[in-house]
Amino acid sequence: MSLLERAEAQYRSLRLTATANHLASLLAQAEANELSYLNFAQLLAEHELKERTHRRVTRHLRQAQFPSEKHLEAFDYRHQTTISKRQVHALLDFGFIDNRDNLVFIGPPGVGKTHLAIGIGQKAVQAGYKVLFRTALDLVEDLELAEMKGELKKRLNQLSKYDVLIIDELGYLPMTRQARYNLFQLINSLYEYRSVILTTNKDFTSWGEFFHDDNVAVPIIDRIIHHSQIFMLGGESYRLKQKSST
Ligand code: ADP
Ligand code: MG
């Protein structure tokens, strides 16, 4: 075994995989640039850290289960004028996550609610936060299944491991009383502890109706709205716009 191979194996056993994998090229780089010992030591550390961050972000992006890639850069504020680029960019310091605030996007179909939720979610992952994307329907099914298995508590705990839970499309479909109750348990366990990004087609005034005005629904709404930034989106559907322009 050469000295290089031995060093690589040692780095590997220290779990410094990125360094182990690129040791030869890092050495060549150091020689070509006549790096000082200290600069070389720093180069190795920097390389390892960069690779680790990259791997973590890739893993968290996968775990977030975004239904599609929606980049904020692709969002057209000339079409969607009821929210400004400035308002969206102000969210990207992620103070809302650190303060456990919620974001609520309300509006009719096609106005960009899901696009914004995913776009902000992706940026949050890149900034080091853990995010999970779920439609309200998925979430309700997920909780129902957990409840049937007697594992609701456990599932709620798992869901509160994420810094941000995106709940997409609340209000599109009716829910049973049990579903509302489970959802309340979830919102309750996240309240003032984690952030929720919620998209909905229902204005708060019709939420009572959607939730059948029952004593479970009102606290859900209260808890989501308390500490939240609410964005009312309007305008015409982007989907229709695309159809008519082709
Ligand atoms: P909503 O969730 O409000 O129903 P979506 O976010 O799913 O709407 O938007 C519908 C489609 O139109 C998506 O493919 C989305 O990427 C696109 N879209 C919506 N608004 C915009 C916009 N302002 N700029 C670019 N694409 C947009
Ligand atoms: Mg949507």
Side-chain angles (χ1 to χ4, degrees):
M1 194 188 263
S2 71
L3 187 54
L4 177 65
E5 284 166 342
R6 185 136 33 117
E8 283 168 350
Q10 286 168 328
Y11 276 115
R12 202 155 280 129
S13 75
L14 286 166
R15 305 262 178 275
L16 297 166
T17 331
T19 309
N21 290 342
H22 299 108
L23 192 55
S25 76
L26 290 163
L27 280 164
Q29 199 179 324
E31 275 168 21
N33 296 303
E34 298 183 30
L35 292 192
S36 70
Y37 294 123
L38 181 59
N39 279 337
F40 182 56
Q42 208 247 327
L43 176 72
L44 293 185
E46 205 167 86
H47 179 76
E48 186 68 39
L49 282 170
K50 219 163 92 191
E51 279 288 313
R52 268 187 205 192
T53 306
H54 177 72
R55 274 204 303 265
R56 194 182 57 235
V57 167
T58 307
R59 191 175 64 243
H60 286 174
L61 275 177
R62 198 173 53 238
Q63 288 170 347
Q65 297 178 43
F66 294 115
S68 56
E69 284 208 10
K70 293 287 175 193
H71 297 289
L72 278 187
E73 289 78 6
F75 197 77
D76 181 357
Y77 297 91
R78 278 167 311 183
H79 175 80
Q80 178 46 270
T81 54
T82 58
I83 190 165
S84 69
K85 192 172 186 175
R86 185 189 300 259
Q87 279 175 298
V88 173
H89 282 210
L91 300 171
L92 301 181
D93 66 1
F94 301 111
F96 81 91
I97 303 178
D98 299 331
N99 298 328
R100 287 94 169 97
D101 284 350
N102 304 321
L103 306 181
V104 182
F105 294 102
I106 304 178
V111 296
K113 303 182 298 296
T114 303
H115 189 131
L116 287 172
I118 295 174
I120 292 166
Q122 282 179 339
K123 294 273 185 220
V125 171
Q126 280 152 13
Y129 297 96
K130 290 176 81 173
V131 177
L132 182 67
F133 181 101
R134 277 279 182 276
T135 65
L137 194 65
D138 287 345
L139 207 52
V140 161
E141 280 177 3
D142 183 337
L143 295 177
E144 195 170 28
L145 195 68
E147 208 229 332
M148 273 169 10
K149 289 198 239 160
E151 293 178 347
L152 187 60
K153 261 242 154 62
K154 186 173 142 201
R155 189 66 192 127
L156 293 177
N157 274 334
Q158 287 168 349
L159 289 168
S160 56
K161 295 262 159 33
Y162 298 89
D163 300 298
V164 183
L165 179 64
I166 301 178
I167 306 178
D168 195 35
E169 299 190 348
L170 184 72
Y172 283 78
L173 290 165
M175 282 182 199
T176 65
R177 193 184 156 75
Q178 187 60 46
R180 296 196 298 272
Y181 181 73
N182 291 343
L183 196 62
F184 172 68
Q185 298 284 315
L186 174 65
I187 298 299
N188 205 28
S189 71
L190 302 176
Y191 181 61
E192 294 187 334
Y193 178 54
R194 297 301 189 201
S195 292
V196 172
I197 301 180
L198 182 74
T199 82
T200 174
N201 59 340
K202 293 274 191 303
D203 189 347
F204 293 117
T205 49
S206 54
W207 278 28
E209 194 186 309
F210 171 69
F211 283 116
H212 306 277
D213 273 321
D214 69 303
N215 52 5
V216 168
V218 175
I220 299 183
I221 299 167
D222 270 4
R223 278 175 169 69
I224 291 178
I225 297 178
H226 191 204
H227 311 298
S228 77
Q229 298 187 47
I230 297 168
F231 301 94
M232 299 282 225
L233 304 185
E236 71 169 301
S237 165
Y238 197 83
R239 295 188 188 100
L240 293 180
K241 179 204 153 179
Q242 282 186 316
K243 271 217 181 86
S244 58
S245 65
T246 50

